[in-house]
Amino acid sequence: MPIRAVLWDIDDTIFDYANADRVGMRQHLELEGLPEAYASVDVALDAWKALSVRHWARMTAGETDFRGQRRDRVREFLSRDLEDAEAEAWFGRHAAHYEAAWALFPDVLPVLDLLAHDYRHGILSNANTDHQHHKLTTLGVRDRFESMVCAVELGISKPEAGAFHAACEALALEPHEVAYVGNEPDIDAAGAVAAGLTGIWLDRQGAGGRVDLVTITGLDQLPGLLAGDTRFGAPDTFG
């Protein structure tokens, strides 16, 4: 049966999270000052990125909640035992700069336009629904997706099969009727395949090395792939 819908990851797939986070934090530190633990702003930015990954994983594992992981990141980054209100205020000042840097990748709107009439579209994210709804609304694309399933409210996260199945159920489609596009080879593409979907790894950096995955390096390649073009690592039976 052909693909009838595309499920999308958000961060670093359609939304340029890495750039927005780095630009926003750089501007934030210019005003707040560089914490003494870091020799340079670049060292601090790398530390913030590592802390974000680790505390996000704690949240998806159920060890903390969305606001809690934000507070914990701030405390560890600053090496200070802040009260909740202090940590949230610091993060809030950072968030203002971060949100000002929000942007879609340039290939997102063209491909959504190309696919609009032939495929349904939904979101599956490991984040918080309110946050991702706000993000997509601010970026002007929330109405492009008829459904949105987020792990924080669902109680399970990618790459668990149940997360992908819940997103398919939101579209009233079977897994084999749905393709999933994401920037993480294991969490997104391989997880989708294991759940019975067609998983597509968006390898924007050209890292390669995953011959087991259907891979594209830009969203401009997605329409041809969905139409059956096998040049981008799709099996002959794709679609």
PDB file of all heavy atoms in Angstrom, residues 38-54:
ATOM      1  N   TYR A  38      33.780  28.736  32.829  1.00  0.00           N
ATOM      2  CA  TYR A  38      34.054  28.560  31.406  1.00  0.00           C
ATOM      3  C   TYR A  38      35.124  29.540  30.928  1.00  0.00           C
ATOM      4  O   TYR A  38      35.058  30.736  31.216  1.00  0.00           O
ATOM      5  CB  TYR A  38      32.765  28.732  30.603  1.00  0.00           C
ATOM      6  CG  TYR A  38      31.666  27.828  31.120  1.00  0.00           C
ATOM      7  CD1 TYR A  38      30.591  28.368  31.840  1.00  0.00           C
ATOM      8  CD2 TYR A  38      31.728  26.450  30.938  1.00  0.00           C
ATOM      9  CE1 TYR A  38      29.600  27.543  32.348  1.00  0.00           C
ATOM     10  CE2 TYR A  38      30.736  25.623  31.443  1.00  0.00           C
ATOM     11  CZ  TYR A  38      29.679  26.176  32.151  1.00  0.00           C
ATOM     12  OH  TYR A  38      28.705  25.361  32.653  1.00  0.00           O
ATOM     13  N   ALA A  39      36.069  28.995  30.164  1.00  0.00           N
ATOM     14  CA  ALA A  39      37.193  29.809  29.682  1.00  0.00           C
ATOM     15  C   ALA A  39      36.797  30.737  28.553  1.00  0.00           C
ATOM     16  O   ALA A  39      37.469  31.745  28.308  1.00  0.00           O
ATOM     17  CB  ALA A  39      38.333  28.895  29.227  1.00  0.00           C
ATOM     18  N   SER A  40      35.727  30.410  27.849  1.00  0.00           N
ATOM     19  CA  SER A  40      35.280  31.240  26.730  1.00  0.00           C
ATOM     20  C   SER A  40      33.795  31.010  26.501  1.00  0.00           C
ATOM     21  O   SER A  40      33.209  30.040  27.022  1.00  0.00           O
ATOM     22  CB  SER A  40      36.056  30.891  25.459  1.00  0.00           C
ATOM     23  OG  SER A  40      35.697  29.596  25.001  1.00  0.00           O
ATOM     24  N   VAL A  41      33.204  31.876  25.709  1.00  0.00           N
ATOM     25  CA  VAL A  41      31.785  31.710  25.375  1.00  0.00           C
ATOM     26  C   VAL A  41      31.562  30.415  24.618  1.00  0.00           C
ATOM     27  O   VAL A  41      30.583  29.698  24.853  1.00  0.00           O
ATOM     28  CB  VAL A  41      31.288  32.922  24.565  1.00  0.00           C
ATOM     29  CG1 VAL A  41      29.882  32.658  24.021  1.00  0.00           C
ATOM     30  CG2 VAL A  41      31.289  34.176  25.429  1.00  0.00           C
ATOM     31  N   ASP A  42      32.465  30.087  23.688  1.00  0.00           N
ATOM     32  CA  ASP A  42      32.294  28.854  22.918  1.00  0.00           C
ATOM     33  C   ASP A  42      32.323  27.622  23.812  1.00  0.00           C
ATOM     34  O   ASP A  42      31.561  26.664  23.600  1.00  0.00           O
ATOM     35  CB  ASP A  42      33.373  28.742  21.840  1.00  0.00           C
ATOM     36  CG  ASP A  42      33.127  29.673  20.667  1.00  0.00           C
ATOM     37  OD1 ASP A  42      31.955  30.059  20.461  1.00  0.00           O
ATOM     38  OD2 ASP A  42      34.088  30.027  19.963  1.00  0.00           O
ATOM     39  N   VAL A  43      33.193  27.616  24.816  1.00  0.00           N
ATOM     40  CA  VAL A  43      33.232  26.502  25.770  1.00  0.00           C
ATOM     41  C   VAL A  43      31.909  26.428  26.533  1.00  0.00           C
ATOM     42  O   VAL A  43      31.350  25.345  26.748  1.00  0.00           O
ATOM     43  CB  VAL A  43      34.417  26.660  26.746  1.00  0.00           C
ATOM     44  CG1 VAL A  43      34.324  25.636  27.880  1.00  0.00           C
ATOM     45  CG2 VAL A  43      35.735  26.500  26.002  1.00  0.00           C
ATOM     46  N   ALA A  44      31.383  27.577  26.918  1.00  0.00           N
ATOM     47  CA  ALA A  44      30.108  27.614  27.626  1.00  0.00           C
ATOM     48  C   ALA A  44      28.974  27.106  26.742  1.00  0.00           C
ATOM     49  O   ALA A  44      28.095  26.364  27.203  1.00  0.00           O
ATOM     50  CB  ALA A  44      29.812  29.036  28.099  1.00  0.00           C
ATOM     51  N   LEU A  45      28.981  27.485  25.477  1.00  0.00           N
ATOM     52  CA  LEU A  45      27.928  27.045  24.557  1.00  0.00           C
ATOM     53  C   LEU A  45      27.966  25.536  24.370  1.00  0.00           C
ATOM     54  O   LEU A  45      26.915  24.875  24.313  1.00  0.00           O
ATOM     55  CB  LEU A  45      28.079  27.748  23.212  1.00  0.00           C
ATOM     56  CG  LEU A  45      27.848  29.257  23.213  1.00  0.00           C
ATOM     57  CD1 LEU A  45      28.106  29.836  21.830  1.00  0.00           C
ATOM     58  CD2 LEU A  45      26.439  29.602  23.675  1.00  0.00           C
ATOM     59  N   ASP A  46      29.163  24.973  24.272  1.00  0.00           N
ATOM     60  CA  ASP A  46      29.286  23.521  24.137  1.00  0.00           C
ATOM     61  C   ASP A  46      28.782  22.820  25.401  1.00  0.00           C
ATOM     62  O   ASP A  46      28.123  21.770  25.326  1.00  0.00           O
ATOM     63  CB  ASP A  46      30.737  23.122  23.871  1.00  0.00           C
ATOM     64  CG  ASP A  46      31.207  23.521  22.481  1.00  0.00           C
ATOM     65  OD1 ASP A  46      30.351  23.787  21.607  1.00  0.00           O
ATOM     66  OD2 ASP A  46      32.439  23.559  22.259  1.00  0.00           O
ATOM     67  N   ALA A  47      29.088  23.405  26.558  1.00  0.00           N
ATOM     68  CA  ALA A  47      28.618  22.826  27.818  1.00  0.00           C
ATOM     69  C   ALA A  47      27.097  22.882  27.913  1.00  0.00           C
ATOM     70  O   ALA A  47      26.443  21.922  28.345  1.00  0.00           O
ATOM     71  CB  ALA A  47      29.250  23.556  29.000  1.00  0.00           C
ATOM     72  N   TRP A  48      26.516  24.000  27.507  1.00  0.00           N
ATOM     73  CA  TRP A  48      25.051  24.143  27.534  1.00  0.00           C
ATOM     74  C   TRP A  48      24.398  23.115  26.621  1.00  0.00           C
ATOM     75  O   TRP A  48      23.382  22.502  26.992  1.00  0.00           O
ATOM     76  CB  TRP A  48      24.664  25.551  27.112  1.00  0.00           C
ATOM     77  CG  TRP A  48      23.185  25.787  27.062  1.00  0.00           C
ATOM     78  CD1 TRP A  48      22.407  25.887  25.957  1.00  0.00           C
ATOM     79  CD2 TRP A  48      22.299  25.954  28.181  1.00  0.00           C
ATOM     80  NE1 TRP A  48      21.103  26.097  26.298  1.00  0.00           N
ATOM     81  CE2 TRP A  48      21.006  26.149  27.659  1.00  0.00           C
ATOM     82  CE3 TRP A  48      22.485  25.965  29.561  1.00  0.00           C
ATOM     83  CZ2 TRP A  48      19.898  26.343  28.477  1.00  0.00           C
ATOM     84  CZ3 TRP A  48      21.375  26.153  30.375  1.00  0.00           C
ATOM     85  CH2 TRP A  48      20.106  26.337  29.830  1.00  0.00           C
ATOM     86  N   LYS A  49      24.981  22.877  25.454  1.00  0.00           N
ATOM     87  CA  LYS A  49      24.436  21.884  24.532  1.00  0.00           C
ATOM     88  C   LYS A  49      24.472  20.498  25.150  1.00  0.00           C
ATOM     89  O   LYS A  49      23.486  19.754  25.089  1.00  0.00           O
ATOM     90  CB  LYS A  49      25.224  21.901  23.227  1.00  0.00           C
ATOM     91  CG  LYS A  49      24.737  20.871  22.210  1.00  0.00           C
ATOM     92  CD  LYS A  49      25.539  20.944  20.925  1.00  0.00           C
ATOM     93  CE  LYS A  49      25.063  19.899  19.921  1.00  0.00           C
ATOM     94  NZ  LYS A  49      25.848  19.956  18.656  1.00  0.00           N
ATOM     95  N   ALA A  50      25.600  20.141  25.759  1.00  0.00           N
ATOM     96  CA  ALA A  50      25.717  18.824  26.381  1.00  0.00           C
ATOM     97  C   ALA A  50      24.723  18.653  27.532  1.00  0.00           C
ATOM     98  O   ALA A  50      24.098  17.592  27.686  1.00  0.00           O
ATOM     99  CB  ALA A  50      27.145  18.606  26.875  1.00  0.00           C
ATOM    100  N   LEU A  51      24.559  19.704  28.337  1.00  0.00           N
ATOM    101  CA  LEU A  51      23.605  19.652  29.435  1.00  0.00           C
ATOM    102  C   LEU A  51      22.177  19.525  28.917  1.00  0.00           C
ATOM    103  O   LEU A  51      21.356  18.807  29.507  1.00  0.00           O
ATOM    104  CB  LEU A  51      23.728  20.904  30.302  1.00  0.00           C
ATOM    105  CG  LEU A  51      24.977  21.005  31.179  1.00  0.00           C
ATOM    106  CD1 LEU A  51      25.066  22.392  31.796  1.00  0.00           C
ATOM    107  CD2 LEU A  51      24.949  19.933  32.259  1.00  0.00           C
ATOM    108  N   SER A  52      21.872  20.202  27.827  1.00  0.00           N
ATOM    109  CA  SER A  52      20.534  20.132  27.252  1.00  0.00           C
ATOM    110  C   SER A  52      20.209  18.712  26.824  1.00  0.00           C
ATOM    111  O   SER A  52      19.112  18.202  27.076  1.00  0.00           O
ATOM    112  CB  SER A  52      20.421  21.089  26.061  1.00  0.00           C
ATOM    113  OG  SER A  52      20.610  22.426  26.470  1.00  0.00           O
ATOM    114  N   VAL A  53      21.163  18.059  26.155  1.00  0.00           N
ATOM    115  CA  VAL A  53      20.952  16.679  25.704  1.00  0.00           C
ATOM    116  C   VAL A  53      20.728  15.759  26.896  1.00  0.00           C
ATOM    117  O   VAL A  53      19.797  14.933  26.902  1.00  0.00           O
ATOM    118  CB  VAL A  53      22.160  16.202  24.869  1.00  0.00           C
ATOM    119  CG1 VAL A  53      22.058  14.703  24.588  1.00  0.00           C
ATOM    120  CG2 VAL A  53      22.246  16.982  23.566  1.00  0.00           C
ATOM    121  N   ARG A  54      21.559  15.895  27.928  1.00  0.00           N
ATOM    122  CA  ARG A  54      21.476  14.992  29.078  1.00  0.00           C
ATOM    123  C   ARG A  54      20.190  15.185  29.875  1.00  0.00           C
ATOM    124  O   ARG A  54      19.521  14.214  30.242  1.00  0.00           O
ATOM    125  CB  ARG A  54      22.695  15.194  29.982  1.00  0.00           C
ATOM    126  CG  ARG A  54      22.723  14.236  31.166  1.00  0.00           C
ATOM    127  CD  ARG A  54      24.128  14.036  31.680  1.00  0.00           C
ATOM    128  NE  ARG A  54      24.742  15.279  32.114  1.00  0.00           N
ATOM    129  CZ  ARG A  54      24.496  15.847  33.301  1.00  0.00           C
ATOM    130  NH1 ARG A  54      23.631  15.287  34.129  1.00  0.00           N
ATOM    131  NH2 ARG A  54      25.102  16.953  33.648  1.00  0.00           N
TER     132      ARG A  54
END
